[in-house]
Amino acid sequence: MTGADSTSRPGLGPDARRRLQDELADLRDRRRELVAALQESDSVGDRADAAETLEMRDELVWADEQIAEIVARLAGAEPAGDSGGLPDGAEVTLRFEDGTEQTLRVAAFPEEVPEGAEETSFTVHSPLGRALAGHRPGDTVSYSTPDGPVHVRLIDLRLP
């Protein structure tokens, strides 16, 4: 392969790549702000100052982790813990306990979900994505939600 295809992860479209690059720029800006604030903070202060410094250090660690993850995504790394579940771009039709059916699209990363399609998409690492991994049409699976467990029947699976 040559050109941009040799450095892009398959399935990471231009919109997802742009959103990741924008998020990366924002994170790098925030990281610079945190480093500057930590360098300016004096070593003598009260407990509130110490607590604020600890919060900034925690946020700096979080920002570094997010930056590393996005850089890896942009460089073509597979999702952490990729277990061979549903492939990016697959479509599933599910029947919920109330009898309704819905067709949903699988995305490897949240950034790959097209704007406006959030309600009809889920990621491979979401509770639903992990629950469906390895199942076939006709299987009933359970997954956790903030409102409790949900049981769905896999009606159809269309691979990309």
Side-chain angles (χ1 to χ4, degrees):
M1 282 184 157
T2 60
D5 289 340
S6 65
T7 60
S8 354
R9 188 176 119 12
L12 186 61
D15 289 341
R17 180 168 290 282
R18 180 186 44 75
R19 286 189 299 237
L20 282 172
Q21 289 169 334
D22 290 347
E23 184 178 350
L24 182 60
D26 291 344
L27 282 166
R28 286 181 169 156
D29 288 344
R30 179 62 182 145
R31 186 186 190 288
R32 280 190 287 278
E33 291 170 5
L34 288 166
V35 168
L38 284 168
Q39 289 173 344
E40 289 175 8
S41 66
D42 57 43
S43 58
V44 179
D46 60 15
R47 287 185 178 197
D49 290 339
E52 186 176 312
T53 298
L54 286 174
E55 284 181 26
M56 284 191 293
R57 286 183 181 166
D58 286 346
E59 188 177 350
L60 183 61
V61 168
W62 175 86
D64 285 340
E65 289 170 354
Q66 295 300 306
I67 288 168
E69 182 177 335
I70 291 172
V71 167
R73 286 181 184 179
L74 289 169
E78 290 296 319
D82 190 13
S83 61
L86 294 173
D88 184 40
E91 288 187 354
V92 298
T93 300
L94 305 174
R95 181 177 298 133
F96 293 85
E97 293 173 289
D98 65 2
T100 60
E101 289 187 10
Q102 186 174 17
T103 299
L104 303 169
R105 187 169 192 279
V106 180
F109 302 108
E111 295 81 9
E112 293 176 349
V113 174
E115 197 165 321
E118 296 85 1
E119 295 296 318
T120 58
S121 301
F122 64 96
T123 65
V124 295
H125 297 293
S126 68
L128 177 58
R130 289 190 308 266
L132 289 171
H135 286 277
R136 296 176 166 211
D139 291 349
T140 298
V141 299
S142 299
Y143 65 100
S144 297
T145 72
D147 295 329
V150 172
H151 307 281
V152 296
R153 181 174 207 94
L154 179 56
I155 302 298
D156 190 25
L157 171 62
R158 289 173 302 286
L159 299 176

